[in-house]
Amino acid sequence: MELKRTIGFFTLTMYGVGIILGAGVYALIGEAAGETGNSLWLSFLIASIVSMFTALSYMELISMYPTSAAEYVYVKHSLESNIAAFSVGWIEIFADIIAASTVSIGFAGYFTGLFGGNPIFVALVLIAVLTVINFWG
């Protein structure tokens, strides 16, 4: 059975924008403003510069290896090390887990603000529901 590529440029862009807006801007800006005060704009400026370089390096990476798991393939070919490539694969998995947990905790904060409840429980239920939807297809 061969997997088909179904995520296109627009879908992937909307995924990234959803993560940035859902977790980074709306869910965490209050806590960031409480910690940094008037210098909050500086952290957003630094984050946008880092994001720009990350996007440019990912565009280069995808143009060199237009396959799934391009990070893994790039490290495997450039360093000729299966261990380094394996490590990069796991780092990518952990990055996705952190992004999903950040979004779910942000959602749980909004949800419990409106309806009450335990934010950790709400976040876990959201992750469980979305996991079932993902497995279902």
Side-chain angles (χ1 to χ4, degrees):
M1 179 175 161
E2 184 177 325
L3 296 176
K4 296 179 184 177
R5 184 179 292 211
T6 58
I7 297 178
F9 177 75
F10 179 76
T11 309
L12 189 59
T13 302
M14 290 299 105
Y15 171 76
V17 169
I19 292 290
I20 292 167
L21 292 179
V25 176
Y26 296 123
L28 302 176
I29 197 165
E31 289 186 37
E35 292 289 325
T36 60
N38 291 335
S39 61
L40 180 64
W41 66 272
L42 184 60
S43 64
F44 276 94
L45 178 66
I46 293 169
S48 9
I49 291 170
V50 169
S51 297
M52 180 186 66
F53 284 120
T54 302
L56 290 173
S57 61
Y58 266 96
M59 287 188 323
E60 178 68 22
L61 186 63
I62 294 301
S63 69
M64 291 172 59
Y65 299 103
T67 62
S68 299
E71 301 91 352
Y72 173 85
V73 174
Y74 176 77
V75 170
K76 186 172 181 178
H77 288 290
S78 62
L79 298 179
E80 297 179 357
S81 169
N82 287 333
I83 294 172
F86 181 79
S87 300
V88 165
W90 275 102
I91 289 170
E92 284 297 317
I93 290 171
F94 288 134
D96 290 341
I97 290 170
I98 290 169
S101 62
T102 303
V103 170
S104 65
I105 288 173
F107 172 82
Y110 288 133
F111 187 88
T112 56
L114 290 173
F115 303 109
N118 182 352
I120 300 299
F121 178 74
V122 172
L124 290 174
V125 167
L126 176 67
I127 290 173
V129 167
L130 293 178
T131 299
V132 168
I133 291 171
N134 190 27
F135 285 144
W136 185 36

